[in-house]
Amino acid sequence: VVRWLWEVITEWDQEERARFLQFVTGTSMVPAEGFKGLFGSNGLRLFQVQRIADTTRLPQASTCFNELWLPEYGSKARLEERLRTAMYDGRQIT
């Protein structure tokens, strides 16, 4: 599922990538140092993906900790659909 996540993000345009970054970190711009330069609520905090088993949930993010909680969806298409729904405040985007 993590590999699918990066495949999906790679396929998106810059606007959607910025929206994803805003969703998971609270900022739509990558620091000059790249992801290794991301800050959280208490200093430098690397981006992390936490896999969760409950596939009925939407992906969730903790911007204070630069974490994405990603359910173990059964397909790449389902992951993309649910991630977009979460990123766009629960609205389904096609």
Side-chain angles (χ1 to χ4, degrees):
V1 75
V2 175
R3 183 171 296 156
W4 287 339
L5 171 67
W6 293 116
E7 288 175 9
V8 165
I9 293 168
T10 301
E11 295 166 1
W12 285 348
D13 62 23
Q14 287 300 108
E15 184 178 325
E16 280 194 302
R17 289 179 188 170
R19 183 74 174 219
F20 172 78
L21 195 58
Q22 179 77 41
F23 175 67
V24 297
T25 68
T27 181
S28 60
M29 295 174 39
V30 176
E33 304 88 7
F35 269 50
K36 66 182 177 185
L38 286 173
F39 276 81
S41 61
N42 57 351
L44 201 57
R45 175 114 13 209
L46 297 178
F47 174 72
Q48 295 183 14
V49 177
Q50 303 293 331
R51 298 179 342 198
I52 59 174
D54 187 354
T55 60
T56 64
R57 295 175 56 178
L58 288 171
Q60 291 179 267
S62 174
T63 58
C64 293
F65 299 104
N66 296 329
E67 287 183 351
L68 174 66
W69 300 318
L70 189 62
E72 298 269 354
Y73 297 118
S75 72
K76 180 179 162 183
R78 181 71 172 158
L79 178 144
E80 183 173 12
E81 180 263 323
R82 300 296 282 170
L83 184 56
R84 279 189 169 143
T85 298
M87 287 172 29
Y88 290 93
D89 302 322
R91 295 185 306 267
Q92 289 189 330
I93 307 299
T94 56

